[in-house]
mmCIF file of all heavy atoms in Angstrom:
data_model
loop_
_atom_site.group_PDB
_atom_site.id
_atom_site.type_symbol
_atom_site.label_atom_id
_atom_site.label_comp_id
_atom_site.label_asym_id
_atom_site.label_seq_id
_atom_site.Cartn_x
_atom_site.Cartn_y
_atom_site.Cartn_z
ATOM 1 N N TRP Q 1597 11.982 -82.250 138.430
ATOM 2 C CA TRP Q 1597 11.606 -80.906 138.021
ATOM 3 C C TRP Q 1597 10.143 -80.904 137.587
ATOM 4 O O TRP Q 1597 9.549 -81.946 137.321
ATOM 5 C CB TRP Q 1597 12.489 -80.406 136.871
ATOM 6 C CG TRP Q 1597 12.268 -81.134 135.578
ATOM 7 C CD1 TRP Q 1597 12.814 -82.334 135.199
ATOM 8 C CD2 TRP Q 1597 11.419 -80.725 134.493
ATOM 9 N NE1 TRP Q 1597 12.364 -82.701 133.949
ATOM 10 C CE2 TRP Q 1597 11.513 -81.726 133.489
ATOM 11 C CE3 TRP Q 1597 10.603 -79.613 134.269
ATOM 12 C CZ2 TRP Q 1597 10.816 -81.652 132.285
ATOM 13 C CZ3 TRP Q 1597 9.908 -79.533 133.072
ATOM 14 C CH2 TRP Q 1597 10.009 -80.535 132.097
ATOM 15 N N ALA Q 1598 9.573 -79.714 137.528
ATOM 16 C CA ALA Q 1598 8.207 -79.531 137.041
ATOM 17 C C ALA Q 1598 8.110 -78.141 136.443
ATOM 18 O O ALA Q 1598 8.989 -77.291 136.640
ATOM 19 C CB ALA Q 1598 7.196 -79.696 138.177
ATOM 20 N N MET Q 1599 7.035 -77.902 135.684
ATOM 21 C CA MET Q 1599 6.806 -76.566 135.147
ATOM 22 C C MET Q 1599 5.403 -76.105 135.524
ATOM 23 O O MET Q 1599 4.511 -76.923 135.788
ATOM 24 C CB MET Q 1599 6.996 -76.537 133.632
ATOM 25 C CG MET Q 1599 6.001 -77.335 132.836
ATOM 26 S SD MET Q 1599 6.196 -77.087 131.040
ATOM 27 C CE MET Q 1599 5.568 -75.412 130.846
ATOM 28 N N SER Q 1600 5.233 -74.784 135.579
ATOM 29 C CA SER Q 1600 3.953 -74.206 135.988
ATOM 30 C C SER Q 1600 3.832 -72.819 135.383
ATOM 31 O O SER Q 1600 4.757 -72.320 134.741
ATOM 32 C CB SER Q 1600 3.860 -74.157 137.515
ATOM 33 O OG SER Q 1600 4.908 -73.352 138.042
ATOM 34 N N TYR Q 1601 2.668 -72.192 135.623
ATOM 35 C CA TYR Q 1601 2.378 -70.863 135.074
ATOM 36 C C TYR Q 1601 1.926 -69.931 136.187
ATOM 37 O O TYR Q 1601 1.074 -70.280 136.998
ATOM 38 C CB TYR Q 1601 1.295 -70.959 134.002
ATOM 39 C CG TYR Q 1601 1.713 -71.777 132.802
ATOM 40 C CD1 TYR Q 1601 1.402 -73.129 132.720
ATOM 41 C CD2 TYR Q 1601 2.428 -71.198 131.757
ATOM 42 C CE1 TYR Q 1601 1.783 -73.886 131.619
ATOM 43 C CE2 TYR Q 1601 2.812 -71.942 130.655
ATOM 44 C CZ TYR Q 1601 2.491 -73.289 130.588
ATOM 45 O OH TYR Q 1601 2.872 -74.032 129.506
ATOM 46 N N GLN Q 1602 2.483 -68.733 136.187
ATOM 47 C CA GLN Q 1602 2.220 -67.749 137.238
ATOM 48 C C GLN Q 1602 1.457 -66.548 136.691
ATOM 49 O O GLN Q 1602 1.144 -66.462 135.513
ATOM 50 C CB GLN Q 1602 3.545 -67.277 137.835
ATOM 51 C CG GLN Q 1602 4.428 -66.519 136.848
ATOM 52 C CD GLN Q 1602 5.777 -66.148 137.427
ATOM 53 O OE1 GLN Q 1602 6.712 -66.940 137.442
ATOM 54 N NE2 GLN Q 1602 5.873 -64.906 137.897
ATOM 55 N N SER Q 1603 1.162 -65.615 137.590
ATOM 56 C CA SER Q 1603 0.664 -64.272 137.250
ATOM 57 C C SER Q 1603 -0.692 -64.258 136.561
ATOM 58 O O SER Q 1603 -0.966 -63.373 135.752
ATOM 59 C CB SER Q 1603 1.687 -63.528 136.365
ATOM 60 O OG SER Q 1603 2.978 -63.581 136.902
ATOM 61 N N ARG Q 1604 -1.553 -65.217 136.884
ATOM 62 C CA ARG Q 1604 -2.866 -65.201 136.236
ATOM 63 C C ARG Q 1604 -3.696 -64.033 136.766
ATOM 64 O O ARG Q 1604 -3.494 -63.547 137.881
ATOM 65 C CB ARG Q 1604 -3.593 -66.522 136.467
ATOM 66 C CG ARG Q 1604 -4.010 -66.815 137.894
ATOM 67 C CD ARG Q 1604 -4.586 -68.224 137.974
ATOM 68 N NE ARG Q 1604 -5.080 -68.565 139.285
ATOM 69 C CZ ARG Q 1604 -4.337 -69.000 140.295
ATOM 70 N NH1 ARG Q 1604 -3.034 -69.139 140.120
ATOM 71 N NH2 ARG Q 1604 -4.890 -69.285 141.459
ATOM 72 N N PHE Q 1605 -4.632 -63.608 135.929
ATOM 73 C CA PHE Q 1605 -5.429 -62.428 136.242
ATOM 74 C C PHE Q 1605 -6.860 -62.694 135.801
ATOM 75 O O PHE Q 1605 -7.108 -63.203 134.710
ATOM 76 C CB PHE Q 1605 -4.865 -61.204 135.508
ATOM 77 C CG PHE Q 1605 -5.693 -59.960 135.649
ATOM 78 C CD1 PHE Q 1605 -5.668 -59.218 136.821
ATOM 79 C CD2 PHE Q 1605 -6.502 -59.536 134.613
ATOM 80 C CE1 PHE Q 1605 -6.430 -58.065 136.951
ATOM 81 C CE2 PHE Q 1605 -7.267 -58.387 134.725
ATOM 82 C CZ PHE Q 1605 -7.226 -57.648 135.899
ATOM 83 N N GLY Q 1606 -7.824 -62.365 136.633
ATOM 84 C CA GLY Q 1606 -9.222 -62.571 136.298
ATOM 85 C C GLY Q 1606 -9.693 -63.968 136.673
ATOM 86 O O GLY Q 1606 -8.980 -64.757 137.290
ATOM 87 N N ARG Q 1607 -10.914 -64.292 136.261
ATOM 88 C CA ARG Q 1607 -11.554 -65.540 136.697
ATOM 89 C C ARG Q 1607 -11.545 -66.643 135.647
ATOM 90 O O ARG Q 1607 -11.840 -67.795 135.975
ATOM 91 C CB ARG Q 1607 -13.005 -65.249 137.101
ATOM 92 C CG ARG Q 1607 -13.121 -64.296 138.293
ATOM 93 C CD ARG Q 1607 -14.572 -64.076 138.672
ATOM 94 N NE ARG Q 1607 -14.705 -63.189 139.823
ATOM 95 C CZ ARG Q 1607 -15.867 -62.832 140.366
ATOM 96 N NH1 ARG Q 1607 -17.012 -63.286 139.830
ATOM 97 N NH2 ARG Q 1607 -15.900 -62.027 141.400
ATOM 98 N N GLU Q 1608 -11.233 -66.319 134.413
ATOM 99 C CA GLU Q 1608 -11.273 -67.363 133.394
ATOM 100 C C GLU Q 1608 -10.086 -68.314 133.558
ATOM 101 O O GLU Q 1608 -9.065 -67.958 134.156
ATOM 102 C CB GLU Q 1608 -11.287 -66.753 132.004
ATOM 103 C CG GLU Q 1608 -9.983 -66.090 131.583
ATOM 104 C CD GLU Q 1608 -10.038 -65.636 130.133
ATOM 105 O OE1 GLU Q 1608 -10.382 -66.472 129.270
ATOM 106 O OE2 GLU Q 1608 -9.750 -64.448 129.872
ATOM 107 N N PRO Q 1609 -10.186 -69.537 133.050
ATOM 108 C CA PRO Q 1609 -9.090 -70.500 133.172
ATOM 109 C C PRO Q 1609 -7.843 -70.036 132.413
ATOM 110 O O PRO Q 1609 -7.935 -69.616 131.258
ATOM 111 C CB PRO Q 1609 -9.657 -71.790 132.566
ATOM 112 C CG PRO Q 1609 -11.148 -71.606 132.582
ATOM 113 C CD PRO Q 1609 -11.377 -70.144 132.406
ATOM 114 N N TRP Q 1610 -6.698 -70.140 133.075
ATOM 115 C CA TRP Q 1610 -5.420 -69.860 132.438
ATOM 116 C C TRP Q 1610 -4.662 -71.175 132.314
ATOM 117 O O TRP Q 1610 -5.129 -72.218 132.760
ATOM 118 C CB TRP Q 1610 -4.628 -68.837 133.263
ATOM 119 C CG TRP Q 1610 -5.082 -67.416 133.054
ATOM 120 C CD1 TRP Q 1610 -6.365 -66.969 132.979
ATOM 121 C CD2 TRP Q 1610 -4.254 -66.268 132.886
ATOM 122 N NE1 TRP Q 1610 -6.396 -65.608 132.779
ATOM 123 C CE2 TRP Q 1610 -5.107 -65.153 132.720
ATOM 124 C CE3 TRP Q 1610 -2.882 -66.054 132.866
ATOM 125 C CZ2 TRP Q 1610 -4.618 -63.860 132.520
ATOM 126 C CZ3 TRP Q 1610 -2.392 -64.770 132.677
ATOM 127 C CH2 TRP Q 1610 -3.251 -63.679 132.505
#
Side-chain angles (χ1 to χ4, degrees):
W1597 68 277
M1599 66 174 288
S1600 60
Y1601 296 94
Q1602 65 184 83
S1603 311
R1604 67 186 183 277
F1605 174 77
R1607 297 182 179 180
E1608 70 174 308
W1610 281 43

